DNA sequence: ATAGCAAAAATGAACGTTCATTCTTTTTTT
DNA sequence: AAAAAAAGAATGAACGTTCATTTTTGCTAT
């Protein structure tokens, strides 16, 4: 057990180092040797935990994506009223993107470059299902506009990625009031006008 | 003159090859030798036109960004009514992102990775001023919500990047009707409710 | 017009470095 | 003491960049 524990710690340290180095330098400008050094491990040890560099980054992606959606849906209950459920999910996602900034940036980089294998990308998408189900229900109840899920996501959720990125670049800071404004914009872009 | 022309052609070929290869492989997985080959040029020739690889990608970014904003503002006149001006710009941007998909994808990759120097990034942002001016005027006239430019951009423009990317990945296609829906979502997220 | 030439542009091969990965040995665990 | 885990050094390939040469260009004198 101490054995296994130690292994998991080492794996986590490797994943953590990957996120930090890839964020700052990009995937291909991040040598395995640096990842090893940051994780206090020999380069050769990485290959006990991961097949190769591609596998390391794929697994890191899936890990972070799972953490992201777990965080997003933590307090969510599929039986909630639509608007309440959406607000809860939206605000958890906002929390994640603005507080777990490193992780959110890593995902943004993965989602906008060819660095992740298609298979792992698909794997990562699955976790979003509860939100899509909520929208489905919302459309049936006439509370959510009858738009494609992609358009709903583009307007309701994706803007947070952009705001996270500009905040990270230091161009501006998103305070509590901004966040409420942003939520209102998100909701008003997908709710049906009554 | 024939001389200079030839040089410009070669530079353009190099920029074009850079865009295509970086889109498919990412910056650091794109060797200078491949860029040279695609542009029908010797690797050494690249260094007659660009200082080094970083300079090549920086200049490519600025080129594409300028093309993007020129396209966006081509028919725009700063004296137009707010809504008309916004619709015109929005639809031109949509056109660009969906038709000049390769170029839009390249920008997305640059904007979500550390591959571009901060200086070139700043250079690229300047070109967006006419849209910010329009929003400024819109806020004064009470037509546009009094939100930070970043939030306005996040909801009005940035969703198009996401839709472009999902379309490129083949997950779904944005037809004429979708586009009109998307425009309505964009406008309704930034206009003041009357 | 054109032959000849200096400068500019372009080239392919070569250099030195860096990287992902593997191999052999050592350390730790059971 | 056997097995598993970890280490550091070694390997071979690939890369960005430069170098020595060749080719092309634009001009001048005829």
């Amino acid at each position: 057990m101490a054995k296994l524990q130690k292994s998991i710690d080492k794996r986590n340290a490797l994943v953590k180092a990957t996120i930090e180095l890839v964020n700052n330098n990009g995937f291909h400008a991040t040598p395995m040797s640096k990842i090893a050094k940051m994780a206090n491990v020999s380069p050769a040890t990485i290959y006990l935990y991961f097949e190769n560099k591609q596998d390391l980054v794929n697994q890191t992606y899936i890990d972070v994506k799972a953490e992201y959606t777990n965080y997003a849906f933590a307090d969510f209950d599929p039986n909630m009223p639509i608007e309440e459920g959406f607000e809860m999910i939206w605000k958890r996602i906002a929390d994640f993107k603005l507080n777990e900034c490193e992780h959110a940036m890593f995902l943004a980089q993965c989602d906008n470059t060819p660095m992740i294998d298609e298979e792992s990308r698909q794997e990562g998408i699955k976790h979003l299902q509860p939100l899509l189900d909520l929208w489905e229900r919302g459309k049936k109840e006439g509370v959510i506009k009858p738009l494609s899920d992609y358009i709903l996501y583009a307007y309701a959720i994706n803007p947070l990625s952009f705001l996270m990125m500009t905040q990270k670049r230091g161009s501006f800071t998103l305070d509590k009031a901004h966040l409420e404004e942003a939520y209102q914009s998100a909701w008003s872009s997908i709710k049906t006008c009554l």
Side-chain angles (χ1 to χ4, degrees), chain A residues 76-92:
Chain A
F76 172 67
D77 170 350
N79 298 315
M80 284 176 167
I82 301 294
E83 184 170 356
E84 186 186 335
F86 176 72
E87 181 171 354
M88 166 170 283
I89 295 170
W90 191 93
K91 291 199 167 160
R92 292 286 291 181

Side-chain angles (χ1 to χ4, degrees), chain A residues 90 147 150-159 182 185-187 189-190:
Chain A
W90 191 93
L147 300 176
Y150 292 104
I151 295 185
L152 292 178
Y153 193 87
Y155 281 94
I157 306 296
N158 197 219
S185 288
W187 175 243
S189 71
I190 67 167

